Amino acid sequence: MKTKLFKLGSWLIAMVMLSNLLAGCAGTAQGAELRSDKPRLASNASQADLAELAAGNSAFAADLYQALRQEGEGNLFYSPYSISAALAMTYAGARGETEKQMAATLHYTLPQARLHPAFNALDASLTSQSQDAFQLHIANSIWGQKDFTFLPAFLDTLAENYGAGLRMVDFATAAEAARQAINAWVSAQTKDKIKDLIKPGMLDPSTRLVLANAIYFKGKWVMPFEKNNTHDGPFTLLDGNSVSVPMMHQAGRFNYAEGEGYQAIELPYRDSDAAMLIVLPQAGQFEQVEKTLSTDLLARITNGLEPRSVQLTLPKFSFESEFQLAKVLIQLGMPDAFDNADFSGMTGKRDLFISEVAHKAFVAVDEEGTEAAAATAVILSKAAVPFGDIEMKVDRPFLFLIRDNRSGAILFLGRVLNPMP
């Protein structure tokens, strides 16, 4: 079955403060950003709140993986951080049972007054690491119907904590132009790695608001692979057949762990606290290990990592995944957001519901490092070589994730069933 095709910095924030200003923008061009006096706040969350946010994000990442892995049989890759951040902006307007369901599903354990500053602080912490060898860019935006009224308090929360300015579009009479404008923004923020996030038909005259997050990552290995040590080799698929793929080879000291049914290795990126963690189930045990993927398992693996001499073989791979997450999020426990929704914190009325959550992600791993990108759109509509001591040969399906070791935030998570889909 074919693979389903699927944040950073601080900059000045644009926001609309008053309803009459919103109503007076009928002539604003598609995607024009209106500016107010609400700048993005300096990050001021406590370390305890940051840790709690990261832990919740990890729990949501694991829950979502278990749901998405059953959606298809091929490779899988997504950004739990991007999805959680986009939905956090939506959550800022949720009230009542909708707010409770979203908090439980997304593992938002902090009260709203602390959650959004924690997202702001985590964003600042993650993006402050960017240098020549390590790039991490996170951006947020909100796109609203030009003659529709949003509460100033809701817009202020997004401006101060997510750097998201309100961009005026006309979904009512020019939904396709609005779609193209949002997709162009996503493409620019991800260096053209994520294109056509919002598909034709996802926006229509009933659309009133789209909240978008984009994340771009590029990191160079601390220990790059020598290209002349890359050779084609067999990769065994789940069905026992094999395909020939470019296999990279190197020996060195890595953080390594073993557990019941798996090996794990951590590949760090230069000039950052980020690393790729690869979890390789033993032959014939991929499904068992995959079923147990959880925050507890990831904690056991990361706590068990120790420096060891390893001879590593790893396939080069590149692919993208794409999801429409409404059905999955409903199944995970937040149905009201899509039907009996209360987003009165956005407009003062219960007149909006989430019609779709679109997500798309890209990853490429080669001898130099990793490039990855993802974007999420929450659409709201109006109701109606030398040998080491240990051998680890990644020549069969495996799991992998990119995490920030300082905060514990999982930036990306995925599996490779076939490096050459």
Side-chain angles (χ1 to χ4, degrees):
M1 181 176 180
K2 292 184 179 179
T3 302
K4 289 189 175 182
L5 298 176
F6 314 175
K7 127 186 152 350
L8 57 60
S10 299
W11 54 87
L12 292 177
I13 304 311
M15 275 295 155
V16 174
M17 295 293 298
L18 301 173
S19 300
N20 59 355
L21 179 58
L22 283 166
C25 297
T28 305
Q30 291 276 29
E33 187 174 11
L34 300 180
R35 297 183 174 271
S36 77
D37 59 355
K38 289 291 184 181
R40 190 167 191 170
L41 297 175
S43 57
N44 58 359
S46 69
Q47 288 301 311
D49 281 2
L50 279 174
E52 188 168 340
L53 175 61
N57 180 255
S58 296
F60 172 63
D63 287 352
L64 187 57
Y65 183 90
Q66 293 301 335
L68 292 178
R69 71 180 181 85
Q70 302 178 52
E71 294 287 300
E73 299 176 354
N75 296 338
L76 185 160
F77 185 64
Y78 65 99
S79 173
Y81 188 90
S82 176
I83 298 168
S84 188
L87 285 168
M89 292 192 291
T90 313
Y91 179 68
R95 299 294 183 266
E97 189 62 25
T98 301
E99 181 180 16
K100 293 177 183 178
Q101 290 181 5
M102 292 185 71
T105 299
L106 300 166
H107 295 270
Y108 295 157
T109 56
L110 295 170
Q112 294 235 25
R114 288 161 55 195
L115 177 77
H116 304 296
F119 264 104
N120 187 27
L122 183 54
D123 183 307
S125 175
L126 292 170
T127 58
S128 66
Q129 302 177 54
S130 293
Q131 301 196 30
D132 290 341
F134 179 83
Q135 301 175 45
L136 183 57
H137 175 72
I138 305 168
N140 302 295
S141 64
I142 55 177
W143 306 74
Q145 174 63 31
K146 65 180 184 179
D147 54 359
F148 195 72
T149 299
F150 298 99
L151 296 177
F154 170 67
L155 299 177
D156 290 348
T157 296
L158 302 191
E160 294 172 339
N161 297 292
Y162 298 93
L166 181 65
R167 299 164 188 262
M168 309 308 294
V169 290
D170 189 357
F171 299 116
T173 64
E176 177 59 20
R179 185 184 73 87
Q180 293 179 11
I182 299 171
N183 283 343
W185 178 87
V186 168
S187 181
Q189 299 301 321
T190 60
K191 298 193 176 182
D192 294 327
K193 296 304 178 184
I194 303 298
K195 299 179 179 180
D196 298 321
L197 170 66
I198 302 177
K199 300 301 179 186
M202 284 188 179
L203 306 183
D204 60 33
S206 70
T207 304
R208 291 297 177 266
L209 184 68
V210 174
L211 302 104
N213 169 275
I215 178 169
Y216 175 82
F217 171 95
K218 188 171 185 178
K220 294 184 178 181
W221 306 123
V222 170
M223 294 176 58
F225 294 80
E226 292 289 341
K227 291 187 177 181
N228 57 11
N229 287 336
T230 297
H231 307 286
D232 287 349
F235 184 98
T236 304
L237 306 178
L238 288 179
D239 62 7
N241 293 318
S242 63
V243 293
S244 180
V245 301
M247 286 287 194
M248 306 181 294
H249 305 271
Q250 71 162 289
R253 290 188 68 79
F254 298 92
N255 284 337
Y256 174 87
E258 292 182 2
E260 186 175 353
Y262 66 84
Q263 294 173 283
I265 193 169
E266 186 179 71
L267 308 182
Y269 296 102
R270 289 169 49 192
D271 300 333
S272 76
D273 293 311
M276 176 178 285
L277 178 66
I278 296 172
V279 181
L280 176 66
Q282 291 178 0
Q285 297 194 39
F286 178 86
E287 292 183 356
Q288 293 92 320
V289 174
E290 185 182 38
K291 287 178 181 178
T292 63
L293 181 68
S294 63
T295 54
D296 289 341
L297 176 59
L298 292 176
R300 289 200 301 272
I301 294 173
T302 56
N303 291 336
L305 292 170
E306 295 180 348
R308 300 290 295 273
S309 178
V310 181
Q311 180 196 0
L312 175 64
T313 301
L314 179 69
K316 294 175 61 173
F317 60 92
S318 174
F319 65 91
E320 64 180 18
S321 295
E322 185 172 14
F323 301 99
Q324 294 179 24
L325 297 172
K327 180 180 178 180
V328 171
L329 291 168
I330 290 171
Q331 293 173 343
L332 287 176
M334 47 179 282
D336 282 16
F338 297 88
D339 186 8
N340 186 33
D342 184 353
F343 288 111
S344 56
M346 295 183 181
T347 66
K349 304 175 184 178
R350 296 184 58 169
D351 55 351
L352 296 177
F353 68 95
I354 299 177
S355 56
E356 189 55 87
V357 178
H359 183 73
K360 193 171 184 178
F362 161 87
V363 62
V365 173
D366 62 17
E367 293 89 351
E368 294 184 356
T370 305
E371 185 175 27
T376 306
V378 181
I379 303 169
L380 290 100
S381 298
K382 186 173 176 61
V385 165
F387 288 85
D389 297 332
I390 299 168
E391 182 178 6
M392 179 171 173
K393 193 171 185 180
V394 187
D395 61 353
R396 53 192 180 271
F398 61 94
L399 311 173
F400 70 101
L401 56 95
I402 298 173
R403 67 193 297 271
D404 177 69
N405 288 334
R406 179 168 53 179
S407 67
I410 299 176
L411 304 177
F412 299 92
L413 175 62
R415 73 182 179 195
V416 174
L417 301 186
N418 182 351
M420 302 289 287

